[in-house]
Amino acid sequence: MPVDLISEPRFREADLGLPMPDDLHAVSACLPLWRHNIGYEEGDLQVHSKLQAAYPRFCFHPIVQQLCDRFFNVDGRKGLPFASKQAAERAVEYVRHAVSAAATLQKLPGQSICGVTVEADHFPVLKQYWQHAGENASSRVAELILNDCPATCSDTEQRRAVRQRVAGFQATPLDDVFLFPSGMASIASAIRAVRQFRTGPICQFGFPYVDTLKILQRFPNTSHHFFPLGSAADLQKLTELCQSTPPIAVVCEVPTNPLLVTPDMAALRSLADQYGFVLIVDDTLTACGNLNLTPFADLRVTSLTKYFSGYGNVLAGALTLNPGGSHYADLRAAVTEEFEETLSDIDVQVLAENSADMQQRVRTINDNAVRLASFLRDHPQVQSVFYPSADCREYEALRAAAGGYGGLMSIVLRDAERTTPIMFDSLEVCKGPNLGTNFTLCCPYTILAHYTELDFAETCGVSRWLLRISVGTEPYDVLERRFRTALDQAAD
């Protein structure tokens, strides 16, 4: 029987590299000690050799690696499998743009996926596109292909059920919901859609998840402005930019990752209406239904990997259009022109099964997280807690009638350089990347997401000692005891 990570979390040194959840297709692996996270970022073979799973856009699942070794990694070339020929062509364009190097498409007979191969020296650039765009063949797809079975994408009952559930919590028509093989793939699609009928810069408002910014910084034909704090001062700067050079789109997260800042959506919507830009909102951290964002966003993007799935064993994303938005006709035409079903039937089936209890899970997570945040705010060892609350005017203006505050929070300890590694190593919850799972997770987020740019992250208000906590469905008393014990260890 698989290990139940709610009652038996993976946090011990001996758990290094074990999958979380205990599943062949888990999208996270245990990095139990502070030094393991440093070693992971620095390419330490003693860490990487133990990984039985990893977040699939950052590291290659062992089954995906087998597929690459069989079909693509030959004659001094290396390659990766993408979800379709169109996606592979975009990867080729990225490599050509980044290093002026050639990349080759490699179709697999009888399969919709398409490989891209490059000279070994250029493989890190191809891997960048794999990470940022998320248009990738999953481990389940790789498993089918290795067993000479077709990986299909069809109009199944499970696919309709997933789209209906997304349409439900986003309060939008079913026909305006599009599924993707990852949350990042939906973000990349949203940005491409805007660029199909508009030219000009795109603004990132607020400090975002790392790959969203990388798309704006690195992809071909993109120019951008970055407002890292998402504050009233940044809103004024955005207003001044609009008066001189209006952007074609503004991208924001509600709330942001990892600082859980809620931007002033009414003000952003007002600017969008006044200056005609498209407002793209990543609503992943609303945790499926806590906020009512429909009146504000022209496009909504969601990582279904997180709260929607909840079990940490499948990647998926959604792009949703607002039929009441002023750009709806143009955006729908742009999205549908290039859209293709690339989320495989086998992954959709898992997603449909996982999301059946989404509403119940989110309610439990909401309740646990608000109590844990209160406990941490009152603890003398904790300097800062980043979490939405009832005194946040911007969040309350968006909160649904029965909505809570989500399950993600970040903390910074007092005397952080000394105490954070001690507390993290002592904490008896699952430790590794990912969020929104039914089991609690903790990771040193800035170390994992911004290790090569820690100084830059700190200029944006994100401490290198920040710990990100994704609260799960454990009994609350168990959770509080685990955190209290670890904080006490740090205080000694």
Side-chain angles (χ1 to χ4, degrees):
M1 289 290 292
V3 174
D4 179 2
L5 300 188
I6 292 176
S7 58
E8 299 180 61
R10 289 182 162 164
F11 61 88
R12 300 173 180 85
E13 183 170 4
D15 295 332
L16 173 63
L18 293 180
M20 300 186 302
D22 188 13
D23 185 301
L24 177 62
H25 300 286
V27 303
S28 188
C30 183
L31 295 171
L33 302 181
W34 187 269
R35 60 180 172 85
H36 294 144
N37 289 268
I38 300 294
Y40 171 83
E41 288 298 317
E42 294 186 347
D44 185 345
L45 288 178
Q46 291 186 344
V47 174
H48 281 263
S49 64
K50 295 287 185 67
L51 296 180
Q52 297 181 28
Y55 204 77
R57 288 188 302 99
F58 289 86
C59 292
F60 307 128
H61 190 283
I63 299 175
V64 172
Q65 187 64 57
Q66 290 176 39
L67 183 74
C68 294
D69 290 340
R70 178 181 295 187
F71 293 106
F72 307 131
N73 298 343
V74 294
D75 298 329
R77 298 181 70 82
K78 296 185 69 176
L80 291 170
F82 292 88
S84 70
K85 184 173 181 287
Q86 282 191 62
E89 288 170 343
R90 287 189 283 269
V92 169
E93 181 186 10
Y94 181 87
V95 173
R96 185 183 301 119
H97 167 77
V99 290
S100 301
T104 303
L105 297 181
Q106 186 170 331
K107 283 284 291 177
L108 296 183
Q111 301 290 348
S112 59
I113 77 158
C114 185
V116 175
T117 66
V118 294
E119 296 291 339
D121 289 348
H122 297 134
F123 184 72
V125 178
L126 180 63
K127 184 174 181 289
Q128 282 182 358
Y129 188 82
W130 172 276
Q131 175 183 323
H132 301 330
E135 300 180 301
N136 311 335
S138 73
S139 56
R140 288 187 181 86
V141 167
E143 188 174 36
L144 286 174
I145 294 171
L146 288 169
N147 287 304
D148 298 319
C149 298
T152 56
C153 297
S154 58
D155 186 19
T156 63
E157 181 180 343
Q158 291 91 345
R159 190 178 301 270
R160 291 191 294 275
V162 168
R163 292 177 62 232
Q164 188 64 63
R165 287 169 190 160
V166 174
F169 79 78
Q170 293 196 338
T172 199
L174 179 66
D175 287 346
D176 289 322
V177 176
F178 301 83
L179 300 183
F180 291 84
S182 70
M184 287 311 306
S186 66
I187 292 173
S189 177
I191 292 171
R192 288 196 304 273
V194 174
R195 291 202 172 279
Q196 282 191 41
F197 69 95
R198 305 286 295 278
T199 59
I202 293 178
C203 296
Q204 173 64 51
F205 191 79
F207 193 82
Y209 176 69
V210 57
D211 288 306
T212 303
L213 189 58
K214 296 306 182 189
I215 286 177
L216 298 178
Q217 291 173 333
R218 293 177 172 175
F219 276 34
N221 305 315
T222 57
S223 60
H224 76 286
H225 300 280
F226 183 29
F227 300 91
L229 301 181
S231 60
D234 274 354
L235 190 62
Q236 179 58 37
K237 293 176 184 176
L238 175 60
T239 303
E240 293 168 0
L241 177 69
C242 288
Q243 293 166 353
S244 60
T245 312
I248 63 172
V250 170
V251 184
C252 63
E253 296 176 355
V254 183
T256 62
N257 183 6
L259 296 180
L260 287 304
V261 174
T262 302
D264 187 336
M265 294 304 296
L268 287 175
R269 183 69 261 167
S270 178
L271 279 179
D273 292 338
Q274 183 177 355
Y275 293 100
F277 61 76
V278 174
L279 190 53
I280 302 172
V281 177
D282 183 340
D283 67 359
T284 299
L285 299 192
T286 66
C288 302
N290 282 319
L291 298 183
N292 176 19
L293 291 168
T294 302
F296 301 97
D298 295 297
L299 291 172
R300 291 169 70 176
V301 291
T302 311
S303 173
L304 302 181
T305 310
K306 311 304 192 298
Y307 293 97
F308 187 83
S309 169
Y311 290 87
N313 62 353
V314 62
L315 249 61
L319 169 63
T320 307
L321 287 82
N322 178 3
S326 58
H327 302 286
Y328 174 71
D330 288 333
L331 288 170
R332 182 166 179 84
V335 170
T336 55
E337 180 181 344
E338 73 156 30
F339 178 74
E340 52 186 342
E341 294 287 0
T342 52
L343 181 61
S344 69
D345 291 342
I346 194 168
D347 287 321
V348 167
Q349 180 179 345
V350 176
L351 191 62
E353 293 168 355
N354 288 355
S355 59
D357 66 349
M358 172 191 66
Q359 292 181 330
Q360 177 184 342
R361 278 189 287 102
V362 169
R363 282 195 297 270
T364 302
I365 287 170
N366 282 341
D367 291 344
N368 278 348
V370 76
R371 295 176 69 184
L372 184 65
S374 178
F375 163 75
L376 292 171
R377 285 193 180 103
D378 291 340
H379 197 284
Q381 196 62 43
V382 179
Q383 176 176 297
S384 302
V385 177
F386 302 93
Y387 183 69
S389 62
D391 60 359
C392 177
R393 177 182 63 84
E394 290 81 7
Y395 191 96
E396 287 300 304
L398 304 172
R399 188 157 68 93
Y405 298 94
L408 197 71
M409 66 187 71
S410 298
I411 62 172
V412 177
L413 303 185
R414 300 187 189 281
D415 191 14
E417 182 173 359
R418 181 186 67 82
T419 60
T420 307
I422 299 171
M423 185 267 187
F424 180 79
D425 289 357
S426 304
L427 184 59
E428 296 186 359
V429 303
C430 287
K431 285 180 278 190
N434 200 16
L435 62 92
T437 50
N438 63 334
F439 51 89
T440 296
L441 279 163
C442 183
C443 73
Y445 177 81
T446 320
I447 296 295
L448 291 177
H450 299 282
Y451 190 68
T452 61
E453 51 184 16
L454 292 173
D455 291 340
F456 160 74
E458 291 198 323
T459 66
C460 300
V462 182
S463 169
R464 70 187 64 204
W465 305 106
L466 178 143
L467 294 177
R468 193 184 71 179
I469 302 160
S470 173
V471 176
T473 60
E474 296 90 344
Y476 176 73
D477 291 347
V478 172
L479 271 181
E480 183 177 312
R481 182 177 71 249
R482 290 171 177 172
F483 277 87
R484 185 188 303 276
T485 300
L487 288 166
D488 288 348
Q489 290 289 323
D492 290 343

